[in-house]
Amino acid sequence: MTGILGALSDAWAEIRVHKLRVLLSLVGIAVSVAALTGVVAVSEYQRQFQAEQSDRWGGRAATLVVSISSDDGTPVDFDAFDERFTRVTERFAFSHTARIAQGIAVPVQLPDGIVDVNSRLIDPLYSEIHREQLLTGRWMRDADADALAPPVVITEALWDRIGRTPVAQHPVLTLAGSAGGTYQVVGVVPRQGLGDEELRVDILYDAYRARVDALPEGAWPQYEVWIGQDQVDEIAPVLAMDLRAGLPDGQTVSVSRSDWAAQPGAMDAQATFEMVTGGIAAVILALGALSLINIQLVAMRQRVREIGVRRAFGATSGRVFFSVFLESLVATTVAGLVGIAIVVAVLRSDWVVTSLFYGIQDVPPFPMRAAFVGLAASILVGAVAGFIPALVALRVKVIDAIRF
């Protein structure tokens, strides 16, 4: 232990003596380690961002989709199945269930006349299951079903058509037809990309049914249940069996997963991104290591007299080897820690992450895996860069000090 501490003391003393040389040689290592750490960290944020984007389409992991149909195409009594679904799911005590009915068009009074607008009938928890994001306003709540002017959420394109009145000023939407009446706009869904001009209004399921006795022909209702991934394989078959028990002949209940985690290879693109960017950072780190080895070898030629004198005063081969080896190891480790600290300081700012990944909701903490990878890389570079010069130092003899 004393020998190791002595070698570390010698290495630190050499670093202090040759501060400028060490600083110049380690700038590249610090930058490379920072790049490698940043790549690993950003890939973790990218993984979270990609998962959230997938959640918006198929639901969070794990989301079960329940639908019912008839074998001969005859209409299904959705109200009866709604009661069945409620009765069955109450036994499971699910925390997140939502009904959604699509394939519905409602006539909306716009400044230029009445226009048929696509509509979805949904429950409030649908927004949590699908991580729905709003441009402005809020999402619908259960208590909204009792409002005289039931709330609706509309797309940004429809918001433009009604004058883009701020939600705080309580804009209203007038519907004609069987569900006709006044509805209050409480939220606006942003455009999903360039050219997205979809006109759509999302209505609270219970508020719509309070005005309409039955779903219109062509409506396609289904149910979604968000449960944990560790339970879905056990619950899904039992849920399907309970929903099918006593079902009228000719009707079929389908229970399947719609979330991204059920799709094989869902994260292949993310793994490829991490592999490519990580490979680039590793090449930069390798070039920095080669540069450091070259500088250390040149410096070793200038330290022949110093090492020869140390050998003359009784320094063992092991002491000389480890002092030179640890000099590089300590320097690169310190440089790596500096690089890691810079990356942590930058990426711990939420505004940096949200700027890189616009729309991310749950910003994860800085991934420790990235810090460990960066630290391991700096130690590995220090070991490689110090091993070769240390071998050269072993060959220095006392007579070499006299020659120099």
Side-chain angles (χ1 to χ4, degrees), residues 22 69 102 199 265-266 293 296 402:
V22 172
S69 60
Q102 303 185 75
L199 302 181
I293 292 174
Q296 291 287 70
I402 301 176

Side-chain angles (χ1 to χ4, degrees), residues 39-184:
V39 164
V40 177
V42 168
S43 69
E44 291 291 335
Y45 295 128
Q46 171 67 23
R47 187 183 299 273
Q48 174 66 20
F49 179 72
Q50 182 178 342
E52 290 187 5
Q53 292 296 101
S54 300
D55 289 346
R56 293 186 179 99
W57 292 104
R60 300 182 190 233
T63 297
L64 292 176
V65 176
V66 178
S67 60
I68 183 173
S69 60
S70 60
D71 298 339
D72 56 2
T74 56
V76 175
D77 187 348
F78 291 113
D79 289 337
F81 185 76
D82 186 79
E83 294 177 1
R84 173 188 293 268
F85 179 83
T86 302
R87 186 173 59 254
V88 170
T89 53
E90 283 178 350
R91 295 201 299 268
F92 289 89
F94 293 133
S95 61
H96 289 75
T97 61
R99 295 166 296 179
I100 173 173
Q102 303 185 75
I104 301 173
V106 294
V108 177
Q109 179 68 56
L110 298 179
D112 54 351
I114 296 179
V115 178
D116 286 337
V117 175
N118 291 329
S119 176
R120 297 188 305 181
L121 312 181
I122 52 182
D123 284 332
L125 287 178
Y126 176 87
S127 63
E128 294 187 31
I129 297 175
H130 288 267
R131 292 184 180 271
E132 288 282 343
Q133 285 187 311
L134 297 179
L135 178 65
T136 182
R138 66 170 177 87
W139 196 255
M140 295 173 286
R141 298 187 285 258
D142 286 325
D144 292 334
D146 299 327
L148 295 178
V152 294
V153 175
I154 62 177
T155 58
E156 187 176 0
L158 182 56
W159 191 35
D160 291 338
R161 294 284 295 272
I162 64 173
R164 212 176 177 88
T165 305
V167 174
Q169 297 181 14
H170 309 293
V172 296
L173 204 65
T174 302
L175 272 63
S178 58
T182 301
Y183 293 77
Q184 181 181 344

